[in-house]
Amino acid sequence: MVKERYLGVDVCPLNMGQVLLEVDRIIMERKPSFIVAINPEKIMKAQEDESLKNLLNSATIQIADGVGVVIASILNGGRIRSRVTGIDLMINICKRAAERGYRVYILGAKPGVADEAVKVLKERFHGLNVVGVRDGYFKDEEEVIEDIKRKNPDILFVAMGSPKQEYWITKHMERLQVPLLMGIGGSLDVISGNIKRAPKIMRKLGLEWLYRLIKEPWRYRRMSVLPVFLCKVLRERFKR
Ligand code: UDP
C-alpha cells in the first residue's frame, strides 16, 4: 500500500471499508500488527520527538483520524477524502468481530468503565466474544500480559491515551502474539456513556473538534495546532 506522508508522518489512504478488509487480512495472517490514529496534534508533536515519529511510522496502518489530515491530503493532491476515526473503527471492528467470531480483549480506562462499554457493545452486537476486560490502572504488568496471552484474543484494544498506549503496544506486541492491536484513547469513556460525542450533524460537517472545544475548553491548546499544521503542510508542498 502506498501511504501518504505529512511532515514525515505516514497516513494510509484507506476508507473505513478498506481498513476493515485489512483487519480481516491481519487476523487471517496472524502476524502482530497495530493500528494507530493520526491527527494534526500527533503529527505536530512528532516534529519535536523523533521516537514518537518512528513509533507512528512503525504502525501497520495509520488511519486518518483528524479532519486536519483530510484537509492536508486535499491540499496536497492526495487521495484521503474521509476520516476514519478511532472510535468509529473500533465500533466497526467489534461489529465485524461479532459477525466473524473474532475474539476481543479490552484493556484500559478507569475501573468499571471498560465493563460498562463492553455491556453496551454486547447489547449492540449480539454474539460479540469479549474474552478479557481490564482497567488501565494496573500495577502488575506481567500479570496483565499473562492474562492476555492466556485468553488468546484476535484483537486487543488498548485505551490508555496516546501515545502511552502505542508505546505499550509496541513494547509488548512481540510477546503478546495478538494479531491485531489498536490504541483507542478515550473511546471506552464515550461508549460507556461517561463522555458524550458531538451530534451526528456536527461530526458530518467535520466540526467534532468545535464540540469538544466547547465541552472541554482546556483542550484548546491541543487544538490550536491545526492552522500551524496546515501552513507547514502547504510550505512542504511548495518546497517540493
Ligand atoms: N488511561 C488509562 N491508564 C492510564 C492513563 C489513561 O487507562 O494510565 C485512560 C483514561 O482513563 C481514559 C483514556 O486512557 O479513558 C485516555 O483518554 P483521552 O481522551 O485522554 O485519550 P486520547 O483519545 O486523547 O488519546
Side-chain angles (χ1 to χ4, degrees):
M1 174 199 333
V2 181
K3 296 182 179 180
E4 295 183 16
R5 181 162 267 219
Y6 298 105
L7 309 182
V9 176
D10 287 344
V11 190
C12 296
L14 300 176
N15 61 29
M16 180 64 77
Q18 292 165 324
V19 176
L20 289 170
L21 289 178
E22 287 295 312
V23 165
D24 290 338
R25 183 186 58 76
I26 287 166
I27 293 173
M28 208 172 65
E29 289 178 0
R30 310 207 72 75
K31 181 170 167 270
S33 308
F34 86 99
I35 298 180
V36 68
I38 304 291
N39 55 41
E41 189 202 335
K42 281 188 209 174
I43 296 180
M44 290 305 284
K45 241 190 190 171
Q47 302 309 297
E48 282 124 46
D49 184 344
E50 200 59 25
S51 71
L52 176 63
K53 192 186 272 180
N54 293 335
L55 173 80
L56 300 177
N57 287 338
S58 71
T60 317
I61 299 175
Q62 294 85 357
I63 53 171
D65 176 68
V67 70
V69 178
V70 180
I71 299 172
S73 182
I74 292 168
L75 293 175
N76 235 341
R79 288 185 292 145
I80 301 168
R81 288 295 173 273
S82 59
R83 292 171 75 193
V84 177
T85 66
I87 184 164
D88 286 337
L89 178 58
M90 186 234 175
I91 291 171
N92 274 303
I93 292 177
C94 286
K95 178 168 185 266
R96 203 130 178 128
E99 287 163 0
R100 305 193 174 201
Y102 299 151
R103 297 156 62 83
V104 175
Y105 195 112
I106 295 184
L107 171 68
K110 298 208 178 82
V113 174
D115 295 293
E116 207 46 52
V118 167
K119 222 164 92 189
V120 173
L121 288 167
K122 279 188 162 176
E123 267 164 31
R124 193 154 162 203
F125 306 120
H126 294 288
L128 178 65
N129 186 8
V130 180
V131 294
V133 187
R134 293 295 275 254
D135 70 73
Y137 297 87
F138 48 86
K139 294 250 153 39
D140 190 347
E141 188 164 82
E142 277 306 304
E143 200 251 321
V144 173
I145 289 170
E146 284 310 315
D147 188 54
I148 297 170
K149 281 170 70 178
R150 208 172 28 247
K151 306 274 173 61
N152 189 29
D154 299 302
I155 301 161
L156 172 63
F157 292 117
V158 184
M160 302 197 300
S162 197
K164 185 178 178 180
Q165 61 200 14
E166 282 82 20
Y167 280 113
W168 198 89
I169 286 173
T170 48
K171 185 171 168 206
H172 300 296
M173 65 191 282
E174 275 311 313
R175 257 185 90 195
L176 288 169
Q177 283 298 309
V178 175
L180 183 73
L181 304 99
M182 178 179 168
I184 54 168
S187 300
L188 299 175
D189 298 293
V190 176
I191 293 168
S192 65
N194 279 7
I195 289 179
K196 273 205 160 20
R197 250 191 119 180
K200 223 174 187 160
I201 178 77
M202 283 186 96
R203 279 189 261 155
K204 276 228 158 88
L205 292 171
L207 294 176
E208 189 154 23
W209 59 271
L210 180 62
Y211 179 84
R212 291 196 86 173
L213 186 61
I214 296 164
K215 284 274 182 187
E216 303 165 75
W218 57 90
R219 279 182 177 262
Y220 90 94
R221 264 178 167 288
R222 293 171 55 168
M223 290 175 183
S224 59
V225 302
L226 182 61
V228 182
F229 165 72
L230 291 175
C231 285
K232 277 184 180 279
V233 168
L234 273 178
R235 203 179 315 146
E236 188 181 53
R237 177 173 188 181
F238 288 124
K239 255 199 242 158
R240 264 191 282 117

